[in-house]
Amino acid sequence: MAWWIWLTAAAGLMVAEVLTMSFFLACFGLGALVACVASALAAGATVQLTAFCLGSLVALVFLRPLLMRKRKGAPMNIDAYVGREAVALTPLRFGQAGGSVRVGGEIWSARLSRPGELPEGGMARVEAREGLVLLVAALPAGTEHTPTREDGEHD
């Protein structure tokens, strides 16, 4: 195969990896880069395929476990919101989905983590997350939100 086909495959796999963050597709992307080099050196199709398989296998066996260990300690961006205050943009009722809150200037889907209700504009604290949904607990009525630069509510 032509070298540019392997390079295109490698780029596509790396873009897909960015979307999944599993370090699985990246291993095949690295294998495709190894095959790209083999192709650029005028190796035959069998050598290119072997280079792809070996490069991918080496990356899966040695590189992926190393990257996964390093990633375990690093929180995802959404995890950084746990413990922060949120402002309800829609009314939230316990057991119902479809609510939204603003945290740090960003809008997130949210559900109440405890029985009760949170009116629009009410204050809550982010307690956890389930996928991309924040689980929030209503703060006592009268709790005022102090705008910060992260909220985008500054002069």
Side-chain angles (χ1 to χ4, degrees):
M1 274 195 268
W3 64 269
W4 61 269
I5 294 173
W6 286 112
L7 188 61
T8 303
L13 287 163
M14 293 299 184
V15 166
E17 174 61 41
V18 168
L19 299 174
T20 64
M21 294 300 293
S22 65
F23 299 118
F24 184 74
L25 296 174
C27 294
F28 291 100
L30 290 173
L33 284 176
V34 172
C36 178
V37 170
S39 177
L41 296 173
T46 304
V47 173
Q48 291 176 40
L49 189 56
T50 301
F52 171 73
C53 291
L54 287 176
S56 298
L57 183 64
V58 167
L60 278 168
V61 171
F62 296 108
L63 185 61
R64 185 170 189 260
L66 176 70
L67 293 172
M68 292 300 285
R69 264 194 307 266
K70 289 201 178 278
R71 179 178 160 220
K72 273 198 172 145
M76 294 176 60
N77 287 345
I78 191 173
D79 293 326
Y81 291 127
V82 174
R84 293 193 49 196
E85 288 184 356
V87 179
L89 299 178
T90 60
L92 296 163
R93 289 178 186 78
F94 182 71
Q96 292 183 349
S100 62
V101 295
R102 179 184 308 275
V103 184
E106 294 185 9
I107 298 173
W108 290 91
S109 296
R111 287 195 334 252
L112 283 178
S113 60
R114 301 177 189 169
E117 294 185 3
L118 179 64
E120 181 178 340
M123 295 300 300
R125 181 160 322 280
V126 179
E127 293 191 325
R129 73 170 176 97
E130 285 182 1
L132 294 177
V133 177
L134 297 177
L135 299 177
V136 300
L139 292 176
T143 303
E144 296 213 12
H145 173 62
T146 306
T148 65
R149 287 192 162 274
E150 293 169 340
D151 292 322
E153 299 175 13
H154 62 279
D155 298 297

